[in-house]
């Protein structure tokens, strides 16, 4: 039985337990598909992203392809979170590919007309990468500028996304992580 079949229609607690028992033997596609389930409990999300992170750099290209194909999807946060966690452990080897995947996803989100709330996840994750690397990410600056321009046109822009985008524009790797998604 596919992971999504084990999770759909169950309570958050049951999803978490099923994910914990089944993520190791799930295929990469099953893990990625499961992130798009609505609703998906927090524990299931954590077990899936943890498993993805442990699969290493093999997750980058499939996640990047999904983010570009459908940048505003239910699983965006989980997909970007898996990339950012992998960045933490493979900064020197996979870091550039992860940053590129997050930028391409964010660009696709803006092209698709995403609000600052929908596109904010990409900027937050990129700012987290900058903080982990303890250096600016100049390659993310054009996306951050485009995001800030989009946010300026909104009546109620996503403040946490705006703050993280501003840190990328200014090149400051500091700043607090956290806030709601």
């Amino acid at each position: 039985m596919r992971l999504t079949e084990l999770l759909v229609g169950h309570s958050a607690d049951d999803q978490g337990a099923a994910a914990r028992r089944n993520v190791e033997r799930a295929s990469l596609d099953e893990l990625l598909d499961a992130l798009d389930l609505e609703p998906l409990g927090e524990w299931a999300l954590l077990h899936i992203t943890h498993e993805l992170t442990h699969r290493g750099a093999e997750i980058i290209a499939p996640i990047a392809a999904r983010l570009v194909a459908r940048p505003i999807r239910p699983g965006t946060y989980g997909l970007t979170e898996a990339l950012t966690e992998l960045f933490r452990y493979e900064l020197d080897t996979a870091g550039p590919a992860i940053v590129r995947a997050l930028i391409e996803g964010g660009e696709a989100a803006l092209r698709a007309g995403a609000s600052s709330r929908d596109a904010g996840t990409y900027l937050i994750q990129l700012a987290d990468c900058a903080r982990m690397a303890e250096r600016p990410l100049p390659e993310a600056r054009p996306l951050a500028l485009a995001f800030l321009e989009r946010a300026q046109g909104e009546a109620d822009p996503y403040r946490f996304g705006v703050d993280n985008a501003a840190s990328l524009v200014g090149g400051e790797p500091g700043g607090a992580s956290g806030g709601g998604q």
Side-chain angles (χ1 to χ4, degrees):
M1 184 176 278
R2 288 182 51 83
L3 182 60
T4 53
E5 295 167 347
L6 296 170
L7 301 177
V8 75
H10 294 283
S11 71
D13 288 341
D14 290 342
Q15 285 181 337
R20 185 185 69 247
R21 288 189 307 269
N22 294 285
V23 292
E24 286 182 15
R25 64 178 166 265
S27 72
L28 180 57
D29 283 336
E30 287 179 81
L31 294 169
L32 298 177
D33 289 346
L35 289 174
D36 276 332
L37 291 176
E38 287 189 293
L40 181 64
E42 185 175 348
W43 283 109
L45 172 70
L46 290 171
H47 289 300
I48 293 166
T49 56
H50 178 79
E51 177 62 26
L52 285 169
T53 301
H54 281 66
R55 295 203 180 181
E58 77 177 71
I59 71 168
I60 299 169
I63 289 177
R66 283 178 183 242
L67 291 173
V68 169
R70 282 188 44 222
I72 309 167
R73 63 187 316 127
T76 298
Y77 174 75
L79 294 169
T80 61
E81 182 67 17
L83 288 175
T84 304
E85 280 303 304
L86 182 59
F87 185 92
R88 177 183 317 280
Y89 301 112
E90 297 193 25
L91 170 75
D92 295 328
T93 56
I98 291 167
V99 168
R100 172 72 6 230
L102 291 170
I103 291 170
E104 289 173 358
E107 291 169 345
L110 291 179
R111 281 192 306 274
S115 67
S116 62
R117 178 153 302 278
D118 290 335
T121 297
Y122 296 98
L123 283 299
I124 292 165
Q125 301 292 12
L126 283 163
D128 280 349
C129 289
R131 286 185 280 274
M132 285 185 269
E134 297 179 336
R135 66 172 178 81
L137 298 176
E139 62 271 40
R141 192 171 196 275
L143 172 62
L145 288 169
F147 174 85
L148 291 170
E149 184 177 323
R150 170 74 44 91
Q152 277 183 329
E154 295 177 355
D156 186 25
Y158 182 38
R159 192 86 225 135
F160 191 58
V162 168
D163 291 346
N164 279 274
S167 76
L168 289 166
V169 168
E172 294 296 323
S177 182
Q181 291 276 332

